[in-house]
Every structure is written in C-alpha cells, then in structure tokens.
C-alpha cells in the first residue's frame, strides 16, 4: 500500500481539484505538437498559455482553441502531455524521461509570488503530506539587470522558518523564453528526497515578470543587444512532473518503480540492471502519445523523432529476447513492441484524460507495425555491419567507431543514433561523434551542389526544383500558384491542425502539387473548408511581402520552415498579411517569386487528394 494511499490517477485528480477549489479553471492538455511553429514539441504546460502573459489574449474573452471558450478566470490548472528530446540521453537513469505529464497551475495577473508559493507549499506538505528537502531561489544576475529574488526567500521563510533555501544561477532558476521570444522570469524550485536518498526537483514555480524579444540562447549569451522588458501584468507558471511526484509520494527509488510504469516494467526482463527495460518503457509511451497526436514516422521533424524512438526500442527488445534464449535469463516477461504499445494504450486510454488512445488503438498499432516492417528490411544487414565495426574496433585496439561508419548506419540502414550509442556503451567502444557531425554537414553540402547542377541545364526560364516555367507566360501562372500553395499550407494547418508539415511541393503551369504529413484521407467537408480558406484569403486581397534577414532572426519570426533543411546565412521570409488588421495568414521561409496581392491569384480549386506515401498526403490544385 502507498504511504499516502493515493495511486497516480488519484494524485492527478487531487492536483486538479485542489487548484479548482482555489479559483482555477481546469484546462485540458494541448497536443504534443504546439501551435507555435518555432518550437517543435510541447515541452511544458505553459506553452499553450503563452499569449495570455503578454496581453495578446484575454482569459476573460479570448476563445482558447483547445478549451473552445474563454477561461473565465485569470487562473488555470492543467495536466499537460510533454516531450523533451533534450533529456533523451539521460533516459535510463532514475529520474529522466522523454515523455511525461506535467501538473501545473498558471496565473495571468490573478496572483503572484506570495499566493503561488503558498499554494504549492500547502499542496505538497498538507494535501500530499510530503517533506520538502530544500527550495531554490534565483541569486540574481547584473548583466541582465535582474536582482536576487529576496521576495520569494521571505515568503518561504514566513511559511516555514526552518526551510532550507539554496541560491542558484540563471541556468537553473530562470525560466524561458521558449521558442523565438516570450515571457520569462526567475523561478523557485521544490526538492524532495526519494527512497535512494537522492534530492529530486519535483516542482518549478516560474514568476514571469519579463518578456524577452529573442531566444533563451540569446538571453544567456548576453550579446544580442536585446533587453528584458517588464511584463505589464506579471504571471505565474508552475510545473511538477507527475512521475517524479508519484515516486516521492510512494517512496520509490526511481520513477520506473511507480504504478505509472508497472504494466510496462513487469513485461520486460531486467537486463543490464533494468536500463534496457527503462529505455523501452519510456520510448513506448513517447511513441504512443506522439502517434496519438497525429505524428507519422518519417525522415523529417516530428516524424523523425518517432522513427528514432521506434528504431531504438526494437533492437533493445531483440537484445532482451536474445538474452532470454541464450543466457537463460529469468524474465519477468518478454514483449514485442506491439505488446508494449498495447499496454501503454490500455493503461492510459482507460484514464479519464486520454480516452482517444483507445479509439486510435488500431491505427497506432498499424503505424508502428508498418514502421517495424520497414526497419526489418534493413536491420539484419545494418546489425551485421555494426557488430563487425565493434569487433574491428576492439581488434585494432582503437576502441573507436569512425564518423563515416556511423553516418552510413544512420543514412543507409536507418539506424537510430541513440541505439548505436547504446550498443557502443554495452560493448565498451567509443563513437567519433564529431566525425559523424562533419560527415553529416559534408553530405548536405554535396547534395545542395548536386541540386544546383541538376536544375542548371533544363532550358527552363525558372527552375528552382520546386517551381518550373518555360516562358514569361508560364512564369506568371507558376507565381500565382506558388502564392496559392503558401495559402494552401496555412489552410491545411488551420483545418487539420499544426501536425501538418510540408513534405514537398512541385509547381508547373498546369497545377501545384503539395505533399504534407497527415495520417488519413481528408473528408469532402475538410477539402471544402481548405478551399474556402484559400479563396477567402484571395477575396480579401491580402498583401504579400518579404523581408530578407539573417537565418537566426528569421527563425524567430514564427515563419514555417523545414526543420532539417540547411538554409543559407540570409533567408527571405514571405508573409501574407491583411494590411488593415495586421493579421498574418501565412509566413514561410521562401525564395519566391510571389504575387504582391492575393487577388492576383484568381480562384483556387483542389482537383485531387490522395496518399503519397506512408503518413503523407498529396493534394493537387489549380487556379481558374
Ligand atoms: N515552465 C516551467 C517548467 O517547465 C514551469 O512550468 O519547468
């Protein structure tokens, strides 16, 4: 029995109820794929609330896309699905995960430090009956003009005169901004001790006092020339990892011993001290939730993350079955990737929060099965090569695998870099990862030069690879279709969701062809809505304009761009804007050419919608 007699579901509920009782509106989790195109994934609960801190959205009147109505309160609470690729190399230790659930309360001008700290203190010590080991506060930093957070220190002391307080630096206790700009501020963190005697951060309370018009890297570098601005209304953003909180509440040694992981860990042998099982369990959850939010395995963006997770789990499971067969390893269980993901779906799908997982069960299992098939086509060959490389590295006493060999395993055999790292660790060899990076860059440059050569000799007036026109007449039509294609992408994201990303496009004088990630056929109703959105933008005769700027700056404009594409140092960002209201319909990295006013396009019509490859749809459209 648990010390506090609450399982993880009850803890989730208790958190929501406690804050609801204290004047917070319960808001459901947003998708793992954020609306903000400058960030790839949702890594914190605060992301869906970003506009409320800057005053861009009013919690009393703005209709929140995920909630369907205004919050009707300046205070909200959520349990947010999060995914952090930044922690992927740590997975397998006692406290890190890629996918996790974040409990958080937020206030946009409703309350500030005093109330936020009091509520957190009350929840941890009274509702959960846990002991706080220590808390941290920001020690201040002159170069950004933020003093030590004495206020938080005083508040803690008033609540508990014996509480231990540690002062920490900007890297640890100053949050944000996320993406290319946003709210940010000092934090105070709560640490508790687990059954291993480790102090673990379980709750981070952020006081959003500032707005920074650049990225976190720029803020930390201090060389961007940009300054922190005071937010008109300071706000609160807190986040507590559910898995860690449950670990503390149940007095466990690590997060994998909690009831959240029990169905998975029981199905796997504890090979290599459970490390292999921990990675497989973490990734199985990540795979299910990402595919559940519409991501399909691919070589780009979110799709590439899922592909790598799947292609790391499969070899781990193979390793486990081999150990069972060869070494007579006594297994608590023995699972395939299908068994594991089904367990995740069954467990989370039966909770109140994620019933959609049960509805999507067949689809999720099918997508993973197909990806497994693709991987199996190359796996044996790749695995033989990897084994040979490891043996050679040992024979020749270098104990090092060269960058070019890693590169070939990743590109030709579709191996996940993370699995190559795991295998190296298990067999005691090193990887030349900087050599691997160099190979990667060299390859990108060669393929770009090849592209230019290929399109040089066509005898076409315009041939960018994406746009093709033989003469002036065709160039005009292609230019109109090109702007229509930008509107089409914006329309698809609007109607189908931000998981839509461009996979490719090809525009001739006859038609535009646009490929994008999406897992199913569009309904006639959706196709009509997409057409309507494009034609409405044309009818409003919006202005099309571009700005040329350094790549780094362009990333911060919220423009859509290919995550993995290599861009030159200066890029053009094209926007389609309503000159009267300033509303932006579309913004993309692009070389042009485009029309200057959308009315020049004419009328846009979708002629065909079909599958292009796994998880990728293809639309053809023309203008009349
Ligand atoms: N945004 C902060 C974090 O992720 C608090 O929610 O830690």
């Amino acid at each position: 029995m648990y010390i506090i007699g609450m399982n993880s579901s009850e803890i989730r509920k208790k958190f929501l109820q406690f804050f609801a009782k204290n004047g917070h509106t319960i808001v459901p989790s947003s998708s793992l794929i954020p609306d903000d195109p400058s960030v790839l994934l949702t890594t914190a609960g605060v992301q869906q609330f970003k506009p409320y801190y800057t005053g861009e959205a009013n919690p009393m009147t703005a209709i929140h896309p995920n909630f369907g109505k205004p919050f009707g309160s300046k205070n909200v609470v959520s349990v947010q699905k999060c995914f952090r690729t930044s922690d992927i190399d740590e997975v397998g230790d006692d406290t890190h995960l890629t996918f996790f659930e974040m409990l958080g309360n937020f206030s946009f001008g409703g309350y500030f430090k005093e109330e936020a700290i009091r509520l957190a203190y009350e929840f941890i010590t009274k509702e959960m009956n846990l002991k706080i080991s220590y808390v941290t506060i920001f020690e201040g930093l002159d170069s950004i003009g933020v003093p030590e957070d004495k206020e938080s220190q005083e508040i803690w002391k008033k609540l508990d005169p014996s509480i231990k307080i540690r002062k920490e630096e900007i890297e640890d206790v100053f949050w944000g901004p996320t993406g290319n700009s946003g709210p940010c501020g000092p934090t105070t963190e709560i640490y508790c001790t687990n059954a291993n005697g480790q102090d673990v951060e379980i709750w981070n309370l952020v006081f959003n006092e500032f707005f920074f018009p650049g990225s976190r890297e720029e803020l930390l570098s201090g060389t961007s020339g940009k300054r922190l601005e005071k937010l008109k209304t300071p706000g609160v953003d807190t986040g507590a990892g559910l898995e860690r909180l449950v670990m503390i509440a149940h007095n466990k040694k690590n997060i994998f011993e909690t009831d959240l992981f029990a169905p998975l860990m029981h199905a796997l042998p504890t090979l290599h001290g459970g490390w292999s099982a921990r990675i497989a369990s973490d990734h199985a959850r990540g795979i299910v939730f990402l595919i559940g939010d519409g991501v399909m395995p691919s070589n780009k963006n979110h799709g590439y993350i899922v592909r790598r997770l799947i292609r790391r789990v499969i070899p781990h499971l193979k390793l486990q079955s081999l150990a069972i067969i060869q070494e007579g390893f006594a297994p608590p269980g023995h699972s395939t990737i299908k068994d594991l993901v089904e367990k995740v779906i069954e467990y989370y799908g039966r909770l109140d929060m994620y019933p959609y997982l049960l509805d999507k069960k067949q689809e999720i299992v099918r997508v993973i099965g197909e990806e497994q098939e693709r991987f199996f086509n190359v796996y044996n060959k790749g695995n033989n090569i990897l084994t040979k490389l490891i043996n050679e590295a040992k024979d020749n006493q270098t104990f090092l695998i060269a960058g070019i060999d890693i590169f070939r395993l990743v590109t030709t055999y579709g191996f996940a870099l993370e699995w190559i790292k795991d295998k190296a660790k298990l067999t005691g060899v090193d990887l030349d990862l900087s050599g691997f990076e160099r190979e990667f860059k060299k390859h990108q440059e060669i393929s770009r030069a090849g592209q230019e050569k290929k399109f040089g000799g066509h005898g076409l007036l315009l041939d960018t690879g994406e746009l093709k026109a033989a003469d002036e007449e065709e160039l005009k039509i292609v230019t109109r279709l090109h702007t229509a294609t930008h509107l089409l992408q914006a329309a698809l994201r609007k109607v189908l969701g931000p998981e839509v990303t461009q996979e490719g496009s090809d525009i001739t004088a006859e038609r535009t062809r646009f490929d994008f990630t999406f897992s199913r056929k569009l309904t006639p109703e959706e196709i009509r809505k997409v057409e309507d959105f494009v034609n409405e933008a044309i009818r409003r005769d919006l202005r099309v304009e571009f700005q040329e700027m350094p790549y780094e700056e362009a990333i911060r404009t919220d423009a859509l761009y290919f995550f993995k594409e290599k861009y030159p140092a200066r890029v053009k960002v094209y926007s389609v804007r309503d000159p009267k209201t300033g509303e932006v319909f579309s913004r993309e990295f692009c070389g042009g050419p485009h029309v200057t006013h959308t009315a020049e396009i004419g009328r846009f019509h979708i002629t065909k919608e079909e599958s292009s490859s796994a998880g990728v749809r293809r639309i053809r459209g023309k203008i009349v």
Side-chain angles (χ1 to χ4, degrees):
M1 214 40 225
Y2 308 127
I3 297 185
I4 58 159
M6 265 188 282
N7 65 25
S8 58
S9 302
E10 288 158 345
I11 293 175
R12 246 192 230 98
K13 280 199 192 113
K14 191 163 193 75
F15 186 83
L16 292 174
Q17 278 158 9
F18 173 76
F19 282 97
K21 199 174 69 196
N22 282 282
H24 293 66
T25 300
I26 300 175
V27 178
S29 171
S30 66
S31 164
L32 280 171
I33 317 300
D35 282 333
D36 179 354
S38 69
V39 268
L40 194 60
L41 291 164
T42 299
T43 57
V46 69
Q47 258 158 269
Q48 65 168 329
F49 304 121
K50 232 168 118 173
Y52 295 88
Y53 292 95
T54 54
E56 230 173 288
N58 179 340
M60 298 306 188
T61 53
I63 295 178
H64 184 267
N66 187 28
F67 195 52
K69 54 185 178 197
F71 300 140
S73 163
K74 289 180 181 168
N75 312 323
V76 297
V77 60
S78 72
V79 177
Q80 174 68 47
K81 301 178 271 190
C82 295
F83 193 99
R84 292 191 176 175
T85 48
S86 54
D87 289 338
I88 199 158
D89 288 333
E90 254 79 55
V91 173
D93 72 3
D94 292 339
T95 53
H96 287 87
L97 296 165
T98 55
F99 171 83
F100 65 101
E101 291 171 276
M102 188 187 274
L103 310 174
N105 56 295
F106 309 86
S107 184
F108 332 111
Y111 56 86
F112 201 45
K113 294 186 183 179
E114 178 110 40
E115 179 82 348
I117 296 177
R118 187 186 61 75
L119 286 170
Y121 179 76
E122 205 175 306
F123 183 76
I124 292 292
T125 60
K126 308 228 163 73
E127 300 286 320
M128 298 290 294
N129 205 14
L130 299 174
K131 192 174 152 10
I132 296 176
S133 310
Y134 65 91
V135 299
T136 61
I137 62 141
F138 183 43
E139 64 178 16
L141 184 63
D142 288 346
S143 63
I144 61 165
V146 181
E148 180 184 325
D149 187 3
K150 292 211 172 104
E151 200 185 338
S152 296
Q153 199 170 334
E154 291 310 311
I155 298 167
W156 278 117
K157 284 221 180 102
K158 243 198 294 171
L159 284 166
D160 178 357
S162 67
I163 203 152
K164 275 201 218 107
I165 298 176
R166 291 195 189 170
K167 294 178 192 173
E168 289 191 351
E169 305 175 332
I170 188 159
E171 272 82 8
D172 297 315
V173 287
F174 193 97
W175 166 262
T178 54
N180 48 31
S181 66
C184 52
T187 79
T188 178
E189 303 161 319
I190 300 173
Y191 280 74
C192 292
T193 311
N194 71 6
N196 254 351
Q198 283 171 291
D199 287 329
V200 182
E201 178 201 334
I202 55 157
W203 205 343
N204 187 17
L205 317 185
V206 181
F207 303 121
N208 278 319
E209 291 179 64
F210 305 101
F211 179 88
F212 188 69
S215 65
R216 179 169 173 86
E217 288 68 39
E218 285 178 291
L219 175 71
L220 294 185
S221 81
T223 54
S224 66
K226 295 178 178 165
R227 305 191 129 265
L228 283 174
E229 297 155 19
K230 267 261 177 218
L231 277 177
K232 251 208 315 268
T233 330
V236 172
D237 146 31
T238 89
L242 174 69
E243 292 78 359
R244 289 187 183 182
L245 185 61
V246 176
M247 165 182 74
I248 302 289
H250 295 176
N251 197 29
K252 297 292 184 191
K253 293 196 183 80
N254 62 68
I255 42 188
F256 298 96
E257 286 184 357
T258 61
D259 62 339
L260 289 157
F261 279 95
L264 296 172
M265 293 301 282
H266 287 158
L268 295 163
T270 50
L271 196 58
H272 303 296
W275 178 68
S276 180
R278 289 178 179 193
I279 291 174
S281 305
D282 167 79
H283 285 13
R285 301 190 331 157
I287 292 163
V288 164
F289 277 94
L290 283 168
I291 299 178
D293 277 348
V295 180
M296 302 296 279
S298 78
N299 278 339
K300 268 191 199 149
N301 303 351
H302 317 95
Y304 193 50
I305 295 171
V306 174
R307 170 159 287 170
R308 279 161 73 160
L309 295 174
I310 296 177
R311 292 180 182 210
R312 190 185 192 190
V313 171
I314 291 173
H316 266 288
L317 297 179
K318 276 188 174 278
L319 194 78
Q320 293 171 357
S321 353
L322 215 66
I324 291 168
I325 298 163
Q326 289 181 345
E327 297 164 28
F329 201 91
H334 172 215
S335 299
T336 61
I337 190 164
K338 182 167 181 280
D339 300 332
L340 273 193
V341 297
E342 280 179 348
K343 286 197 165 64
V344 175
I345 298 171
E346 291 295 331
Y347 177 80
Y348 282 95
R350 296 200 187 287
L351 303 179
D352 295 347
M353 335 209 55
Y354 313 108
Y356 66 91
L357 288 177
L358 287 179
D359 303 337
K360 291 190 176 182
K361 181 173 171 181
Q362 272 188 339
E363 193 199 333
I364 296 172
V365 169
R366 178 183 57 77
V367 168
I368 294 167
E370 284 170 8
E371 179 62 11
Q372 170 160 288
E373 282 285 298
R374 277 190 289 268
F375 186 43
F376 279 169
N377 289 333
V378 283
Y379 176 77
N380 281 340
K381 260 202 172 148
N383 191 42
N384 289 341
I385 292 172
L386 182 55
T387 310
K388 203 165 135 239
L389 289 169
I390 292 167
N391 290 338
E392 279 169 9
K394 287 183 176 173
D395 288 347
N396 65 24
Q397 300 275 306
T398 57
F399 298 97
L400 184 73
I401 299 187
I404 175 94
D405 292 323
I406 307 170
F407 180 74
R408 201 168 299 140
L409 279 168
V410 168
T411 50
T412 312
Y413 299 97
F415 271 46
L417 181 61
E418 288 74 21
W419 165 247
I420 303 175
K421 285 187 192 168
D422 292 347
K423 185 81 183 193
K425 205 190 248 180
L426 289 170
T427 51
V429 299
D430 286 323
L431 301 176
D432 177 5
L433 290 173
S434 7
F436 168 72
E437 287 289 324
R438 278 197 301 277
E439 279 307 320
F440 204 82
K441 288 217 176 82
K442 201 162 82 193
H443 178 80
Q444 277 181 322
E445 273 151 28
I446 292 170
S447 77
R448 236 197 2 259
Q451 286 282 71
E452 280 159 22
K453 216 157 130 207
K454 193 162 117 207
F455 295 120
H458 268 212
L460 290 172
L461 180 71
L462 176 80
D463 192 339
T464 64
E466 186 191 12
L467 316 174
K468 290 169 197 67
D471 52 37
E472 286 292 337
E473 246 348 273
E474 281 197 8
L475 180 61
K476 276 191 202 143
I477 307 176
V478 163
T479 304
R480 288 161 57 205
L481 272 168
H482 190 197
T483 311
T485 309
H486 277 218
L487 292 173
L488 172 64
Q489 177 166 206
L492 288 166
R493 288 172 64 91
K494 186 104 195 155
V495 175
L496 305 176
E499 65 263 32
V500 166
T501 50
Q502 177 171 352
E503 280 284 312
S505 76
D506 183 85
I507 304 172
T508 67
E510 278 77 47
R511 50 102 184 115
T512 174
R513 198 182 74 198
F514 185 76
D515 293 352
F516 60 99
T517 49
F518 197 61
S519 61
R520 59 165 174 82
K521 193 165 180 51
L522 272 60
T523 63
E525 170 73 7
E526 284 165 339
I527 293 178
R528 196 185 49 73
K529 276 196 187 148
V530 170
E531 269 184 353
D532 286 353
F533 179 93
V534 175
N535 285 318
E536 173 62 12
I538 294 173
R539 192 195 58 74
R540 285 172 62 176
D541 196 15
L542 307 172
R543 189 171 298 160
V544 185
E545 51 203 29
F546 75 87
Q547 264 186 305
E548 201 172 324
M549 58 184 95
Y551 171 80
E552 289 301 322
E553 211 172 292
I555 293 281
R556 276 176 260 119
T557 61
D558 277 356
L560 297 178
Y561 65 100
F562 281 139
F563 180 60
K564 283 179 75 72
E565 170 131 12
K566 192 148 170 43
Y567 286 98
R570 287 186 73 78
V571 294
K572 281 186 192 169
V573 172
Y574 269 90
S575 311
V576 183
R577 273 192 331 116
D578 186 327
K580 283 188 232 95
T581 61
E583 189 187 348
V584 176
F585 270 66
S586 143
R587 187 170 275 164
E588 285 189 40
F589 280 37
C590 181
H594 283 281
V595 300
T596 53
H597 286 84
T598 54
E600 292 169 50
I601 297 173
R603 215 182 148 67
F604 179 72
H605 178 55
I606 292 176
T607 51
K608 196 165 188 183
E609 190 274 338
E610 63 192 332
S611 159
S612 158
S613 61
V616 179
R617 308 296 305 176
R618 170 167 286 181
I619 278 184
R620 286 170 202 267
K622 58 179 188 179
I623 44 180
V624 283

